[in-house]
Amino acid sequence: MKITLKDGSVKEYGQAMSVLDIAKDLSEGLARVACAGEVNGEVVDLRTVVDTDCALNILTANDEAGLRTIRHTTSHVLAEAVKRVFPDAKLAIGPSIDTGFYYDFEHAPFSREDLDALEAEMKKIIKEGAALEKFTLPRAEAIAFMEEKGEPYKVELIKDLPEDAVISFYKQGEFTDLCAGPHLMSTKGIKAFKLISSSGAYWRGKSENAMLQRIYGTAFNKKEELAAYLEHLEDIKKRDHNKLGREMELFTTVDVIGQGLPLLMPKGAKMIQTMQRWIEDEEEKRGYVRTKTPLMAKSDLYKISGHWDHYKDGMFVLGDEEVDKEVFALRPMTCPFQYYVYKASQKSYRDLPLRYGETSTLFRNEDSGEMHGLTRVRQFTISEGHLIVRPDQMVEEFKGCLALAKYCLQTLGVEEDVTYHLSKWDPDNRAKYVGEPEVWEETEQHIRDILTELEIPFVEDVGEAAFYGPKVDINAKNVYGKEDTMITIQWDALLAEQFDMYYVDEKGEKVRPYIIHRTSMGCYERTLAWLIEKYAGKFPTWLCPEQVRVLPISEKYMDYAMSVEKALKDNGILCTVDNRSEKIGYKIRETRLAKVPYMLVVGEKEQEAGLVSVRSRFAGDEGQKPLAQFIDEICKEIRTKEIRKEVVEEQK
């Protein structure tokens, strides 16, 4: 048989060989660090036997799939440790993930002390060095095997597999787990690991199922890599918007108000107001007209749009259709409302494109397990818009929406942090979508061509389209690596028909328009969370809720400090005076901790000469300046929305 290696060279063998034996033949050193193999693109165990011509890549911990194999094996070691320390715990699932691994158990919540005990037991298991042995059973025998072990979640997983499925297991010492692999050859291959945390997680991610306990961990090939990652986690904790945003008094939550319903405090509200005014002004420059529509509507509206059939479970419904004459629902989107703004008068082809913009408060009934800080909430506000266009205008208007999105990302300083996704329909799940296949294929190709022409790198995601059309999703990851959609631009060639929308063309005939659903910056709450984590709370000056703090050296200079504050406020600068009877060193430290961009120290010399002593987050002590000069400089910085170089460097 001929084995084509990663470098293109070919090795020939006269008999079947395991991936590990081939690795040994290539290099004993390679075999020692090998974690798994990749045969014709499929990741397999080193114990897998190769008996036909194929392409083979030996994977080490330097390969993503090799590192995942280490982490997956570590999750099995965790499961064995849990069964040793807590024999009554029931096993669920334990995959590798981008940052390590997790395993779900039916058990009481795990404390940090429990995790420490489990780590100690895991080290014992690794030291024992048991080989991992793979075996298979027919479906019926596999069910009986796990029923005998008293593992109901494993039984459920097996029962979901086809009748003729052959089920694979891995055994390490006295512990056996249901698993497809791949795994290391033995537990001794685990060099460095750490259990990070634990939390609740619904079985199979559904709130109607049992609440399990999930233990998160990570593993690396070297202790130095693990130490660097743990240091990174400490930095993440400092940046986590859910922690930092509360410490900075940007937002809070209250149990009696409800989960997913954050309260924006004055500083957070000011930041969102700044962004909202900026977006609304920018959209107006680009030809948008504003609407303001109701927060709720009768179910009749959502039935026309299709949301009642496709999205009702995600809506807050007010009333019971079987009892009440009229049933209302809080709006999860604005599009059908703006369609009726369009329909209020007859439109000519000369009236198009029509660009409607609205700062929309929306409501979505998120599962409690999905909600987190400001990133996923039940009430939120977005920079929503709908463009009603002629078919011949669609491509250029779609490009315009992308240009607006890119401008917003650039201005916020986050353009390099996003990925673009072409979210497509799933032809194997027709019930989820409206419209015919040829319409979907045509519209998806249009978006593909636009992104290619604009040289925007993108990936394609099957099954992520809205039920009425494909879209571009612009995504970003939070500090924990979870990806969220920040901006969406959707191509809709279908809903105009359902709402009987039309325009009169140059021949006097009625024609259906196309619609673009888009956000320019997305959800304000989610964007605020993103910015908190991006800048670790040290925002660009134009976004800061407090841009300058005036620090009088003593009470003797309070009047001058107040006059400085007035001059700043007269120029639209957000500022305060620290009028406490504290030493100036203390005031300076407090201002630094508050992450205020500029502090102006004023005393006798400054008062006599009309100066301010400037200290900034960017350059430290900037020396004395005439007050008028400082005002000119900071006003320019705010007006141009400059992100000073020193701020960017601090984030690296």
Side-chain angles (χ1 to χ4, degrees):
M1 62 181 178
K2 294 182 179 180
I3 306 298
T4 303
L5 301 174
K6 185 179 181 180
D7 63 2
S9 61
V10 177
K11 296 281 289 185
E12 293 192 28
Y13 299 97
Q15 72 285 337
M17 296 178 69
S18 71
V19 173
L20 181 60
D21 287 336
I22 295 173
K24 288 178 179 178
D25 180 65
L26 296 173
S27 163
E28 285 291 339
L30 176 62
R32 282 195 295 272
V33 297
C35 299
E38 189 176 35
V39 177
N40 293 332
E42 179 185 358
V43 180
V44 299
D45 278 337
L46 292 172
R47 56 184 67 76
T48 300
V49 174
V50 178
D51 56 9
T52 60
D53 295 353
C54 68
L56 173 64
N57 181 22
I58 306 299
L59 301 172
T60 72
N62 293 327
D63 301 295
E64 181 181 346
L67 184 57
R68 280 185 173 271
T69 302
I70 293 173
R71 290 169 168 176
H72 194 182
T73 304
T74 312
S75 79
H76 277 227
V77 172
L78 167 61
E80 181 177 1
V82 169
K83 293 297 285 188
R84 284 186 180 184
V85 178
F86 304 105
D88 293 334
K90 304 300 181 187
L91 305 175
I93 58 172
S96 63
I97 55 177
D98 288 345
T99 56
F101 61 88
Y102 69 78
Y103 211 113
D104 290 345
F105 304 92
E106 183 187 278
H107 188 265
F110 295 98
S111 66
R112 182 65 245 182
E113 290 74 18
D114 292 335
L115 299 188
D116 293 341
L118 291 170
E119 281 186 1
E121 192 63 37
M122 290 172 71
K123 289 176 181 177
K124 291 180 185 177
I125 294 168
I126 292 168
K127 189 174 182 180
E128 291 165 8
L132 278 88
E133 303 168 9
K134 183 178 181 179
F135 66 92
T136 60
L137 292 173
R139 184 174 179 274
E141 292 182 31
I143 291 172
F145 181 69
M146 279 300 173
E147 284 179 338
E148 184 179 348
K149 287 184 171 293
E151 299 291 355
Y153 299 101
K154 300 293 185 183
V155 171
E156 182 178 329
L157 291 171
I158 298 170
K159 286 182 176 180
D160 284 347
L161 297 173
E163 291 285 346
D164 58 351
V166 176
I167 315 300
S168 63
F169 296 84
Y170 280 81
K171 181 177 184 296
Q172 58 196 52
E174 78 274 12
F175 177 75
T176 301
D177 203 353
L178 170 73
C179 189
H183 284 286
L184 299 176
M185 298 299 288
S186 82
T187 61
K188 278 189 176 178
I190 301 170
K191 306 299 183 185
F193 75 93
K194 181 69 178 175
L195 299 184
I196 305 298
S197 62
S198 66
S199 63
Y202 289 114
W203 170 233
R204 293 188 155 181
K206 296 181 179 179
S207 59
E208 62 268 25
N209 290 342
M211 174 65 78
L212 305 179
Q213 297 303 314
R214 175 171 296 177
I215 296 178
Y216 287 98
T218 193
F220 289 88
N221 193 46
K222 297 178 181 178
K223 291 181 180 179
E224 297 80 6
E225 294 171 339
L226 174 62
Y229 178 72
L230 295 178
E231 185 177 340
H232 169 65
L233 285 185
E234 289 303 310
D235 180 59
I236 282 175
K237 290 177 183 177
K238 295 175 185 176
R239 290 175 178 270
D240 183 350
H241 86 275
N242 210 11
K243 177 177 182 291
L244 184 55
R246 295 170 194 271
E247 291 174 351
M248 295 183 68
E249 298 183 350
L250 299 177
F251 76 96
T252 189
T253 52
V254 182
D255 286 344
V256 295
I257 292 175
Q259 193 176 11
L261 299 170
L263 301 174
L264 288 169
M265 301 177 76
K267 292 178 182 178
K270 187 62 185 180
M271 290 186 68
I272 286 184
Q273 181 191 59
T274 298
M275 289 189 283
Q276 181 179 327
R277 288 175 173 174
W278 160 56
I279 290 296
E280 290 179 352
D281 289 346
E282 184 61 33
E283 288 181 343
E284 188 170 341
K285 292 176 188 175
R286 296 178 187 237
Y288 283 79
V289 292
R290 306 213 64 76
T291 64
K292 186 172 177 59
T293 56
L295 299 180
M296 68 175 75
K298 295 195 298 184
S299 60
D300 306 51
L301 179 71
Y302 306 116
K303 289 175 182 176
I304 296 171
S305 68
H307 287 94
W308 202 253
D309 292 331
H310 293 272
Y311 199 74
K312 183 180 177 183
D313 290 344
M315 297 167 64
F316 287 101
V317 177
L318 311 175
D320 185 336
E321 286 187 287
E322 295 182 3
V323 177
D324 301 313
K325 291 182 179 179
E326 293 183 327
V327 173
F328 288 79
L330 298 177
R331 64 179 184 185
M333 80 305 294
T334 308
C335 40
F337 297 86
Q338 290 191 331
Y339 298 163
Y340 280 98
V341 173
Y342 176 85
K343 284 167 59 70
S345 62
Q346 182 170 289
K347 303 297 189 297
S348 160
Y349 69 96
R350 294 189 184 90
D351 297 318
L352 304 186
L354 258 175
R355 306 183 188 104
Y356 292 122
E358 182 165 336
T359 302
S360 305
T361 299
L362 305 179
F363 305 85
R364 294 184 184 172
N365 193 9
E366 300 281 3
D367 288 337
S368 59
E370 291 292 316
M371 287 181 287
H372 174 71
L374 297 177
T375 57
R376 194 169 291 275
V377 293
R378 286 177 168 154
Q379 176 184 306
F380 56 95
T381 302
I382 66 172
S383 56
E384 193 165 20
H386 297 88
L387 290 78
I388 318 298
V389 306
R390 302 193 310 261
D392 64 288
Q393 298 169 326
M394 188 67 166
V395 169
E396 287 306 312
E397 289 297 318
F398 203 93
K399 290 179 184 177
C401 292
L402 280 167
L404 175 57
K406 287 176 72 70
Y407 161 76
C408 292
L409 295 171
Q410 289 168 351
T411 304
L412 293 170
V414 295
E415 185 183 23
E416 295 180 357
D417 303 333
V418 302
T419 55
Y420 289 77
H421 298 250
L422 167 50
S423 296
K424 307 189 296 184
W425 81 316
D426 181 358
D428 295 327
N429 187 9
R430 290 293 305 277
K432 182 181 174 182
Y433 305 95
V434 297
E436 297 302 317
E438 55 269 21
V439 176
W440 283 92
E441 290 166 9
E442 179 185 353
T443 53
E444 286 173 1
Q445 187 59 47
H446 277 305
I447 296 177
R448 191 178 292 113
D449 291 343
I450 290 170
L451 292 170
T452 302
E453 178 189 337
L454 297 176
E455 299 182 344
I456 297 174
F458 65 97
V459 296
E460 301 191 11
D461 298 331
V462 175
E464 295 299 317
F467 69 85
Y468 49 80
K471 56 182 175 170
V472 173
D473 284 324
I474 304 176
N475 295 355
K477 291 182 178 179
N478 67 14
V479 290
Y480 294 102
K482 184 180 183 301
E483 192 169 72
D484 287 303
T485 297
M486 309 308 295
I487 296 173
T488 293
I489 305 168
Q490 300 175 354
W491 185 300
D492 177 7
L494 298 169
L495 287 187
E497 178 77 29
Q498 290 178 236
F499 282 89
D500 191 27
M501 298 167 65
Y502 66 88
Y503 64 92
V504 178
D505 69 9
E506 59 269 33
K507 299 177 183 178
E509 297 176 353
K510 293 182 178 180
V511 181
R512 298 293 183 201
Y514 282 2
I515 303 167
I516 300 174
H517 309 240
R518 47 101 280 186
T519 54
S520 50
M521 188 193 62
C523 168
Y524 286 97
E525 290 84 354
R526 185 174 289 179
T527 299
L528 178 56
W530 187 16
L531 294 172
I532 293 170
E533 295 183 351
K534 164 73 177 180
Y535 292 107
K538 297 179 180 179
F539 308 109
T541 303
W542 74 274
L543 272 173
C544 284
E546 183 183 4
Q547 295 160 337
V548 179
R549 188 174 293 181
V550 185
L551 310 180
I553 290 176
S554 71
E555 291 185 9
K556 287 192 297 182
Y557 310 107
M558 189 62 67
D559 288 344
Y560 181 60
M562 298 302 291
S563 69
V564 169
E565 179 192 37
K566 182 179 185 305
L568 293 169
K569 287 185 174 180
D570 286 347
N571 283 275
I573 300 163
L574 302 175
C575 61
T576 59
V577 174
D578 188 338
N579 57 12
R580 295 175 297 172
S581 299
E582 300 283 356
K583 292 182 178 180
I584 190 64
Y586 179 83
K587 292 181 178 182
I588 290 172
R589 287 192 298 274
E590 288 282 294
T591 307
R592 284 202 192 105
L593 290 173
K595 306 181 188 344
V596 179
Y598 293 95
M599 60 183 91
L600 304 182
V601 179
V602 295
E604 183 178 0
K605 291 180 181 179
E606 289 81 10
Q607 179 174 288
E608 289 177 353
L611 302 173
V612 288
S613 291
V614 182
R615 292 173 179 259
S616 73
R617 282 200 335 243
F618 318 113
D621 188 349
E622 296 189 16
Q624 290 182 332
K625 296 181 181 181
L627 177 58
Q629 178 186 337
F630 173 77
I631 290 174
D632 287 343
E633 290 173 353
I634 192 174
C635 283
K636 180 182 177 183
E637 182 182 340
I638 293 168
R639 184 177 66 254
T640 60
K641 298 177 176 56
E642 178 185 357
I643 300 175
R644 290 188 65 176
K645 183 178 180 182
E646 292 84 354
V647 174
V648 175
E649 287 181 345
E650 279 188 352
Q651 312 317 317
K652 293 182 180 178

